[in-house]
Amino acid sequence: MLKNHFQIAWRSLLKNKWYSALNIGGLAIGIAVVMSIGLWVYDELTFDRHIKNHDRIAAVMQHSEIDGGIESWSSQSYQVGLELRNNFGSYFKHVVMSTFTQGYILSFNNKAFTKSGNFMEAAAPQLLSLTMLKGSQEGLKNPSSILLSETAAKTLFGDVNPIGKVLNIDNKMPVNVTGVYQDLPRNTSFNELDFIAPLDLFVKNYPRNIGWINNWLEVFVELDDKADMSAASEAIKLAKLKHHTNFNSRLFLHPLSKWHLYSDFENGVNVGGQIRFVWLFSIIGIFVLLLASINFINLSTARSEKRAREVGVRKAIGSARQQLIAQFFTESFLVVFLAFVLSILLVQLSLALFNAIAGKELTILWTKPVFWLVCIGFIFLTTLVSGSYPAFYLSSFNPVKVLKGTLKGGRFAAVPRKVLVVIQFTVSITLIIATIVVYKQIQFAKNRPVGYNLNGLITIPIKTPEVRTNYDAFKNELLASSAVSGVSKSECSVTNMWWSDGGFEWKGKDPNFQDNIYRGAIDHDFGETVGWKIKEGRNFSTKFPSDSTAMILNEAAVKYMGLKNPVGEKIKAYNGRYYTVIGVVKDLVSQSLYKPSLQTIYILGNPYGQANFINVRVNPDMSVNKALLKIEAIFKNYHSSTPSEYSFIDDEFAEKYEAEERIGNLAGIFAMLAVFISCLGLFGLASFIAEQRTKEIGIRKVLGASVANLWRMLSKDFVVLVIISCFLAAPIAYLYLKDWLSDYEYHTELSWWIFVAAGAGALVLTVLTVSFQAIKAAVANPIKSLRTE
């Protein structure tokens, strides 16, 4: 019986090749979208899951009371790590302090490469579950050691065994290679970890304040087997506060399983993070599959009159309704199965492009049993969802009425199809509106005034003592080369502000106010090089020796302090020194593009160390490529074995909206596919209705109806349905997008034209889709159609 069902189903598909192609093609595209989204969601949900005991590992974070609110930080002081290890050891199997990941120069013989890495304590390999390919996890116990990733070892040493080899970090730290570990996967918080070196080595070569006040590292813990995460988090809550009361900081544990998807905090409360995109794409996937299923349902029920006589005959010769239901479900299964096979091919062919857009390294999970279980379940579920209505509807026909003549469904027979078309286009228009808003928000961020000139500004990290020591000579050579028009140095990159301090005092400050102000340590040439805009007062100048105790504020700092006439004000800083405000600059955007500018002070020199970056303004009268060649040549004069490393500030600026841009691109693609699937179904439905009304069209033409009149008659119903969809989609999209935009403090507005444009676009596509079939039917020879009928 089952074989017979499949034979009949196959013959039915071949008999109606055009509708079969529409059904299978539309469903295949829908399943391919769902599968791509499923791979993306799986990659997000399995972030860091390769680490053993990932549910027992956490980062030590702190809630700090600042400006009347609560901020949450991952950065910690050195003493916090010691405190947890010494006084809370019963809760933890491992306590590991680590620097933040950043680039360092690794050199061996005459080869040098910039690699990202961390300086961590000896238990790091066990905490991270590193798979050692050579050497041992115990290698970091050697104070002058280094562990390399497989790729980093290959880059530096080729096929030679690296164990025991001596390389140099930043040309001042000779270390022995004591291990090589397997590259970490892309979907991990430590995916940029090319090497690990001992933390003590970092402290020795890059002196840091190791007291309670300076937060410059991270602390990771692995719970003891008998410890509870919540209990341990509560136990360490006051571990820092009892030693240091600044900011009223309270520690807590943030589990590894939440780092990626639940990383956002507002006023001390975890409010999610990347998980919102997981939900967003999951919902989009469900909707796209729903659109494809609606096509199947609509085309199947629309063609019911063609199948009516078949049903009547089969019932007349004894077929039970259950058998007919089984037959139609078999046809649905065959369509879904063929669509699934085609979708696998589509995903495989498009995966490289999808990865490039999404910034992932996704592959089809051929070897994962869960993948095949999900696929099998998916096929049967889609068969059930897509095939239920056609199966029960077609099998319900009365054989007596059918065999007396063509079955007429009545005036309400088309209502379910119309409802489904409205659902299709409501979803599609909502996605179009969402895509426009996401794009508009990204453009809004791109066009935000940043307070300095991005064009031709590059930054060079200072990583070697040779460049640092010879900075003045390096600067003079650059200026003499005519390749640049300005050179300066600074503590932080122009696009990032790392350091903040409290304890400032100024006239009118509330003594109970817990302040937190960001610090930019710069030189005299910084302002002119980056092109910041002086609003009041003056810039730093070598003509004024007193500028060593001078300070420049940004607009946000002036507002933050409540200063009415800031220039000339005396401010006592965190280090006990008094500074005189000599100027106010317009806000420089140095963190998120979607948040207000940080309250920032600028001073000369770095109170805690040396400058970390050189900022260079390329001469606008020289081509960028020619200027870069000259800059690299001069750089090599000071350290020929060090790779020249630089980045354009506008590229760093673009990274600030990269995540939103990726999401916007993906949402745009899914929206276009959703619209395409909807139009595909509309095309098939219009084709069927035109075919169904062939006789009526022929009679109307004979009676004098014009092509325009016939086109209007055939298109009107579909246009009305899409207009209804526009009115339904607008409030749904408005409510969702208003909530989404509220997550950004600096955001665009929901303009009326977005909804009008989306609706108009949907109407135009509908008219174009339906018009092909409508005009084709309208211009057909009426004599031929009436003779055929």
Side-chain angles (χ1 to χ4, degrees), residues 471-689:
Y471 168 74
D472 289 335
F474 177 62
K475 170 187 171 182
N476 291 334
E477 276 199 56
L478 284 176
L479 292 172
S481 70
S482 300
V484 304
S485 58
V487 183
S488 70
K489 57 183 178 179
S490 58
E491 176 185 23
C492 301
S493 169
V494 183
T495 58
N496 287 289
M497 192 60 64
W498 298 333
W499 307 111
S500 65
D501 295 284
F504 288 86
E505 295 180 13
W506 60 87
K507 187 172 67 177
K509 178 189 177 185
D510 184 342
N512 297 319
F513 182 65
Q514 186 71 271
D515 60 286
N516 183 51
I517 301 177
Y518 287 81
R519 180 190 75 236
I522 58 177
D523 67 0
H524 294 86
D525 303 309
F526 179 83
E528 291 185 5
T529 301
V530 303
W532 70 9
K533 298 174 177 62
I534 296 289
K535 185 179 179 183
E536 297 180 45
R538 63 175 177 85
N539 212 334
F540 288 118
S541 172
T542 54
K543 296 178 181 178
F544 298 93
S546 60
D547 279 2
S548 60
T549 57
M551 177 184 290
I552 292 178
L553 309 180
N554 71 347
E555 293 174 298
V558 172
K559 183 178 180 181
Y560 181 82
M561 295 179 179
L563 301 176
K564 294 182 179 179
N565 299 298
V567 176
E569 287 283 350
K570 297 285 186 180
I571 295 176
K572 186 179 179 181
Y574 44 85
N575 55 12
R577 297 178 65 184
Y578 282 90
Y579 289 82
T580 302
V581 177
I582 63 169
V584 177
V585 294
K586 287 188 174 295
D587 291 334
L588 273 67
V589 176
S590 56
Q591 295 286 13
S592 173
L593 295 171
Y594 305 102
K595 294 182 179 180
S597 296
L598 301 170
Q599 57 274 11
T600 308
I601 63 167
Y602 298 94
I603 59 175
L604 291 175
N606 188 342
Y608 292 134
Q610 298 170 306
N612 299 308
F613 294 91
I614 297 173
N615 309 293
V616 176
R617 171 74 63 187
V618 174
N619 189 338
D621 297 327
M622 183 179 291
S623 72
V624 173
N625 289 336
K626 186 176 179 181
L628 288 177
L629 289 174
K630 287 193 173 186
I631 293 170
E632 288 184 24
I634 294 170
F635 182 87
K636 290 293 183 183
N637 290 337
Y638 293 91
H639 206 285
S640 59
S641 63
T642 300
S644 57
E645 183 182 347
Y646 59 85
S647 59
F648 284 88
I649 293 299
D650 53 358
D651 289 338
E652 291 187 8
F653 188 80
E655 290 177 5
K656 294 181 179 298
Y657 51 81
E658 183 180 21
E660 283 77 11
E661 193 162 43
R662 288 188 186 281
I663 296 300
N665 290 337
L666 290 175
I669 291 171
F670 296 147
M672 286 190 293
L673 290 172
V675 172
F676 177 75
I677 291 170
S678 298
C679 289
L680 204 63
L682 205 62
F683 185 81
L685 208 54
S687 175
F688 172 76
I689 290 175

Side-chain angles (χ1 to χ4, degrees), residues 290-339:
L290 177 63
L291 298 182
S293 298
I294 286 173
N295 281 354
F296 180 83
I297 294 169
N298 269 348
L299 290 175
S300 297
T301 54
R303 292 188 60 78
S304 60
E305 294 183 21
K306 295 287 185 180
R307 305 291 299 273
R309 194 174 298 276
E310 173 193 342
V311 172
V313 171
R314 292 184 64 168
K315 278 193 169 184
I317 61 177
S319 288
R321 188 181 182 191
Q322 290 79 2
Q323 291 175 312
L324 292 171
I325 290 173
Q327 173 62 52
F328 292 124
F329 267 123
T330 302
E331 291 182 17
S332 298
F333 174 80
L334 187 59
V335 169
V336 173
F337 179 76
L338 293 174

Side-chain angles (χ1 to χ4, degrees), residues 97 124 195 221 226 272 349 364 436 465 468 610 634 663 732:
M97 289 187 279
F195 74 88
V221 297
K226 297 179 181 179
L349 292 175
I364 296 178
I436 295 173
R468 193 185 305 277
Q610 298 170 306
I634 294 170
I663 296 300
I732 295 172

Side-chain angles (χ1 to χ4, degrees), residues 189-236:
S189 303
F190 301 94
N191 67 321
E192 295 182 350
L193 205 61
D194 294 323
F195 74 88
I196 305 174
L199 181 64
D200 289 344
L201 184 66
F202 180 88
V203 174
K204 179 181 177 182
N205 287 274
Y206 298 98
R208 288 290 188 275
N209 185 329
I210 61 173
W212 287 97
I213 191 171
N214 196 9
N215 300 304
W216 57 273
L217 49 69
E218 294 180 286
V219 179
F220 307 119
V221 297
E222 181 178 350
L223 292 178
D224 186 78
D225 294 337
K226 297 179 181 179
D228 174 74
M229 184 75 74
S230 299
S233 186
E234 184 64 26
I236 68 171

